[in-house]
Amino acid sequence: MVNNDVDVDDNEAHITWSEAIDPKGLNISYTIHYALDGDFKNGHQMLSNINTSSARLRDLAPGNYQFFISASNSKFTTYGHDIRNGFTIP
């Protein structure tokens, strides 16, 4: 999940990333955490239960967003929450 890409169009951000692989072969789902600040205290939002390696965030207000993607297996072990990225909605 290290590699990701963001395409911004008006008030939407389409985020893609490389798939995570669970060491025990369990199914993986993703959550995108995003906010208008790096501390995730200003309007922290989540898009959960994503089963593919891409998602679209819609109806975003203008601003500079920070986000991270976490991957969880079916036993609720979570990975990848420490890599932060950003994008801007004009």
Side-chain angles (χ1 to χ4, degrees):
M1 278 190 351
V2 174
N3 298 323
N4 63 55
D5 186 40
V6 181
D7 291 317
V8 174
D9 185 27
D10 293 324
N11 64 344
E12 296 184 353
H14 183 238
I15 302 172
T16 58
W17 58 90
S18 58
E19 291 185 17
I21 299 172
D22 183 82
K24 295 183 180 178
L26 299 173
N27 290 332
I28 298 284
S29 66
Y30 303 94
T31 300
I32 300 174
H33 301 259
Y34 59 101
L36 287 168
D37 67 330
D39 294 329
F40 292 83
K41 295 180 182 177
N42 182 10
H44 179 215
Q45 301 286 319
M46 293 187 309
L47 183 60
S48 302
N49 298 319
I50 303 165
N51 294 314
T52 63
S53 59
S54 68
R56 186 173 300 275
L57 306 178
R58 301 178 190 276
D59 301 320
L60 298 169
N64 296 316
Y65 287 83
Q66 296 292 313
F67 74 94
F68 67 92
I69 302 166
S70 61
S72 300
N73 66 23
S74 55
K75 299 254 184 196
F76 305 106
T77 302
T78 302
Y79 308 95
H81 50 79
D82 56 343
I83 300 170
R84 310 284 167 119
N85 292 290
F87 62 88
T88 299
I89 299 294

